[in-house]
């Protein structure tokens, strides 16, 4: 009898061990985003060199539109509380017309090699930078860096040399990177999808295919804003190919009862919910630092997630003029985000603090990428494609990420996510750091801080070979 009991228990244990569910991955999204029907012929996989160009016709049209701009007088003492201060906007437009040199900035853009290749029916633009030198016996580590909205691949221009040639910039040369910065389809010089449904999983699938086409079967990925979600999805699609995931934004879309309870009681019982002192400082009082700020900063997202084509074609309540037809309207809309998402206190300044962290050449170069490519409409559609089914309803939102993850938490990010929340989604966090300063556009605003955090994260992953342990 005793032997039978042991046999039965053994059979049950073996059954559960054998039937244990394997780590679930996100399916690769095979799509066709080109015009019309997908052709029967195989897609051309050629990687073609590309250069940004500036034409006289383009510049003449721009200056004509800048000259014809109609401005509204700002309210007294309004600073950036009503959006961009229109007196400051006049100054920006004057600089744009009289001092900004687009041809010179095009040369800056072209200092790194640009390419295009056709993937799933659309042209994908990317910048591919190899290290100028490598220490003996060392190989470069491929790093995919993905931007967001209203940014572009240009956000990474200041951090690229820190990663591809760290020794020349006072950083450790233990790890040197080969950096690939693509433009999200519908952004910058990547072709916009011609069909509905192109979301973050679609973008992750396209970028995964891009990395494989470049010959990278093991690589790292880094992102913030939409880059956070695209790289997260990539980690869910190809966990055995992604050695590590580094994020400077880590949002949680599935909020459970414990999350809600921690919002109510976390200020008073932080240890109970795994909060650190800095978490409490950044999160509470939650009504002011959490809920009210999200409400104040998310109006644009609601419009872009519901009627993206309308806001850019016709007069908009944000800028007073159609964004796709007016460079001044486009600048007003984008610059306001670079102000308040960098530091919420900048809304109290007449100039929005824009030139405290950035310079006008960099800000206008980013805007010009949107203007000359005419991509503002398609960039906004990405919100609708990702949000129209509701938050928390997609498969990727319910899946965890097992890839080794590093998170750089910048203090002025629009919404703070404590590690205690993040680790419910990212179950293998090996590095979580509270950064001393900086906001949403970390790569452009604080390239040294971000580079240092990426380097130390990759150092941990490589030293402990964490990506190999993940596969066992």
């Amino acid at each position: 009898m005793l032997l039978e009991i042991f046999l039965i228990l053994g059979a049950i244990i073996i059954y559960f061990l054998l039937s244990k569910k394997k780590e679930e991955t996100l399916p690769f999204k095979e799509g066709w985003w080109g015009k019309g029907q997908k052709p029967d012929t195989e897609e051309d996989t050629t990687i073609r060199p590309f250069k940004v160009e500036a034409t006289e016709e383009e510049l003449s049209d721009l200056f004509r539109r800048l000259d014809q701009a109609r401005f509204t007088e700002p309210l007294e003492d309004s600073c950036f509380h009503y959006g961009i201060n229109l007196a400051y906007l006049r100054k920006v437009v004057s600089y744009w017309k009289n001092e900004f040199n687009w041809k010179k900035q095009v040369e800056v853009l072209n200092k790194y090699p640009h390419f295009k290749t056709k993937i799933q029916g659309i042209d994908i633009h990317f910048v591919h930078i190899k290290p100028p030198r490598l220490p003996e016996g060392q190989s470069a580590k491929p790093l995919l860096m993905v931007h967001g909205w209203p940014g572009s691949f240009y956000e990474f221009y200041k951090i690229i040399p820190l990663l591809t040639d760290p020794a020349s910039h006072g950083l450790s040369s233990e790890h040197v990177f080969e950096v690939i910065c693509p433009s999200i389809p519908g952004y910058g010089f990547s072709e916009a999808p011609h069909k509905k449904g192109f979301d973050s999983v679609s973008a992750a699938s396209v970028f995964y295919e891009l990395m494989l086409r470049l010959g990278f079967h093991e690589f790292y990925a880094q992102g913030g804003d939409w880059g956070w979600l695209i790289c997260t999805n990539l980690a869910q699609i190809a966990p055995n190919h992604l050695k590590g995931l580094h994020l400077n934004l880590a949002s949680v879309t599935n909020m459970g009862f414990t999350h809600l309870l921690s919002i109510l009681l976390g200020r008073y019982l932080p240890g109970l919910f795994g909060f650190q002192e800095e978490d409490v400082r950044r999160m509470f009082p939650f009504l002011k630092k959490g809920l009210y700020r999200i409400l104040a900063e998310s109006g644009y997202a609601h419009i872009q997630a519901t009627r993206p084509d309308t806001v850019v074609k016709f007069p908009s309540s944000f800028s007073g003029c159609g964004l796709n037809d007016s460079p001044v309207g486009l600048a007003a809309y984008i610059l306001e985000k670079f102000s308040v998402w960098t530091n919420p206190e900048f809304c109290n300044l007449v100039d929005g603090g824009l030139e405290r962290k950035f310079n006008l050449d960099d800000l206008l170069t980013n805007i010009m990428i949107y203007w000359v490519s005419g991509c503002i409409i398609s960039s906004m559609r990405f919100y609708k494609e990702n949000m129209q089914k509701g938050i928390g309803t997609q498969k990727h939102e319910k899946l965890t990420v097992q890839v080794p993850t590093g998170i750089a938490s910048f203090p002025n990010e629009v919404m703070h996510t404590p590690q205690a929340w993040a680790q419910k989604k990212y179950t293998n966090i090996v590095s979580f750091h509270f950064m001393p300063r900086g906001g949403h556009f970390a790569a452009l605003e604080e390239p040294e801080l971000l580079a240092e955090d990426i380097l130390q994260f990759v150092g941990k992953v490589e030293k402990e070979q964490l990506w190999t342990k993940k596969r066992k």
Side-chain angles (χ1 to χ4, degrees):
M1 182 69 180
L2 189 60
L3 178 62
E4 290 176 346
I5 292 173
F6 278 120
L7 288 172
I8 292 170
L9 288 173
I12 292 172
I13 291 169
I14 291 170
Y15 170 79
F16 279 108
L17 287 173
L18 293 176
S19 62
K20 186 180 178 182
K21 191 176 180 182
K22 291 184 178 180
E23 175 187 319
E24 191 174 1
T25 59
L26 193 64
F28 176 86
K29 192 169 181 179
E30 181 68 55
W32 173 259
W33 308 105
K35 290 182 179 179
Q37 293 291 323
K38 182 178 180 180
D40 295 330
T41 55
E42 292 222 357
E43 189 167 69
D44 180 7
T45 59
T46 305
I47 296 173
R48 314 181 307 275
F50 170 78
K51 277 199 169 185
V52 184
E53 296 180 349
T55 67
E56 290 300 329
E57 181 183 5
E58 201 171 62
L59 287 171
S60 296
D61 177 67
L62 171 68
F63 292 139
R64 176 183 62 81
R65 292 170 187 265
L66 292 176
D67 286 335
Q68 293 177 351
R70 292 194 303 172
F71 293 91
T72 303
E73 287 300 312
L75 293 171
E76 294 178 6
D77 303 319
S78 60
C79 298
F80 264 56
H81 287 284
Y82 285 72
I84 193 166
N85 183 280
L86 296 173
Y88 178 71
L89 182 60
R90 284 181 182 269
K91 176 192 170 184
V92 172
V93 172
S94 174
Y95 182 88
W96 202 350
K97 290 192 299 184
N98 301 310
E99 297 181 60
F100 179 74
N101 188 334
W102 174 234
K103 289 183 178 180
K104 179 182 175 183
Q105 291 306 111
V106 164
E107 291 179 6
V108 173
L109 291 176
N110 286 327
K111 75 178 181 179
Y112 296 132
H114 293 246
F115 302 89
K116 283 190 177 184
T117 189
K118 190 81 72 176
I119 300 178
Q120 298 189 12
I122 52 177
D123 264 340
I124 304 302
H125 161 260
F126 62 100
V127 181
H128 186 179
I129 309 95
K130 297 181 180 182
R133 64 189 65 82
L134 276 170
E136 189 176 347
Q138 193 170 336
S139 58
K141 295 170 178 63
L143 173 64
L144 176 74
M145 303 190 78
V146 184
H147 65 89
W149 186 94
S152 64
F153 66 91
Y154 183 63
E155 283 182 71
F156 301 117
Y157 266 49
K158 290 188 183 335
I159 197 173
I160 285 170
L162 307 183
L163 298 171
T164 57
D165 190 14
S168 296
H169 297 86
L171 300 174
S172 170
S173 61
E174 183 181 2
H175 303 289
V176 179
F177 297 93
E178 184 170 341
V179 178
I180 300 90
C181 301
S183 295
I184 299 171
Y187 287 68
F189 304 113
S190 278
E191 185 177 353
H194 298 275
K195 293 174 173 59
K196 296 184 291 183
F198 190 92
D199 57 12
S200 62
V201 180
S202 307
S205 299
V206 165
F207 291 163
Y208 176 44
E209 197 166 335
L210 170 65
M211 295 301 280
L212 294 179
R213 187 172 296 181
L214 291 171
F216 302 127
H217 294 271
E218 287 187 334
F219 56 92
Y220 289 88
Q222 198 284 329
D225 197 271
W226 282 127
W228 142 71
L229 185 55
I230 293 169
C231 290
T232 294
N233 292 161
L234 181 51
Q236 295 168 321
I237 291 170
N240 290 332
H241 292 265
L242 199 63
K243 294 175 75 173
L245 171 68
H246 187 278
L247 305 170
N248 55 281
L249 180 151
S251 186
V252 177
T253 52
N254 273 345
M255 299 287 283
F257 177 73
T258 306
H259 292 100
L260 297 176
L261 200 61
S262 68
I263 289 172
L264 292 173
L265 302 176
R267 186 179 186 180
Y268 311 102
L269 300 168
L272 182 64
F273 300 100
F275 289 170
Q276 299 180 50
E277 185 177 335
E278 183 65 12
D279 292 319
V280 175
R281 191 188 70 79
R282 294 185 184 187
M283 291 176 64
F284 299 101
F286 190 79
L287 278 181
K288 176 186 176 183
K289 295 184 178 181
L291 183 60
Y292 290 167
R293 189 173 184 205
I294 285 295
L295 289 174
E297 297 302 332
S298 61
Y300 81 98
H302 180 73
I303 290 179
Q304 292 174 196
T306 52
R307 298 293 185 271
D309 285 19
T310 302
V311 70
V312 293
K313 288 181 180 177
F314 302 105
S316 127
S317 59
F318 288 90
S319 63
C321 42
L323 306 185
N324 200 44
D325 192 55
S326 166
V328 177
L330 181 66
Y333 197 57
I334 290 177
L335 288 175
E336 187 255 338
K337 303 307 177 196
F338 273 84
S339 168
V340 294
W341 290 359
T342 298
N343 189 328
E345 296 301 319
F346 283 174
C347 68
N348 298 314
L349 303 173
V350 174
D351 63 357
L354 284 165
E355 294 173 69
R356 294 189 178 192
K357 289 288 190 171
F358 312 107
N359 62 63
L360 287 181
D361 282 346
D362 286 337
L363 292 170
L364 288 171
T365 297
N366 180 64
I367 291 166
M368 284 295 290
I369 290 170
Y370 277 83
W371 178 254
V372 299
S373 65
C375 74
I376 189 63
I377 295 174
S378 51
S379 74
M380 288 177 165
R381 287 175 183 160
F382 201 58
Y383 281 78
K384 185 170 180 67
E385 303 295 8
N386 281 291
M387 301 171 76
Q388 62 184 335
K389 293 181 181 178
I391 295 173
T393 63
Q394 304 302 299
K395 183 175 182 178
H396 69 82
E397 294 175 283
K398 300 169 185 176
L399 293 179
T400 58
V401 174
Q402 279 80 30
V403 169
T405 303
I407 298 173
S409 178
F410 285 85
N412 291 326
E413 185 55 81
V414 177
M415 181 70 181
H416 174 66
T417 300
Q419 183 174 350
W421 288 6
Q423 65 192 15
K424 299 288 177 62
K425 175 74 173 181
Y426 304 91
T427 60
N428 192 7
I429 295 176
V430 299
S431 169
F432 186 102
H433 288 136
F434 295 108
M435 308 308 283
R437 60 186 180 275
H440 188 72
F441 304 98
L444 186 61
E445 180 193 350
E446 296 289 350
E448 292 85 4
L449 286 179
L450 185 59
E452 287 171 358
D453 202 73
I454 294 170
L455 287 164
Q456 67 79 29
F457 163 67
V458 170
K460 285 185 178 180
V461 176
E462 293 287 332
K463 183 178 180 180
E464 301 176 31
Q465 295 191 326
L466 295 176
W467 77 94
T468 58
K469 294 178 182 179
K470 166 180 65 68
R471 296 171 187 169
K472 293 177 181 178

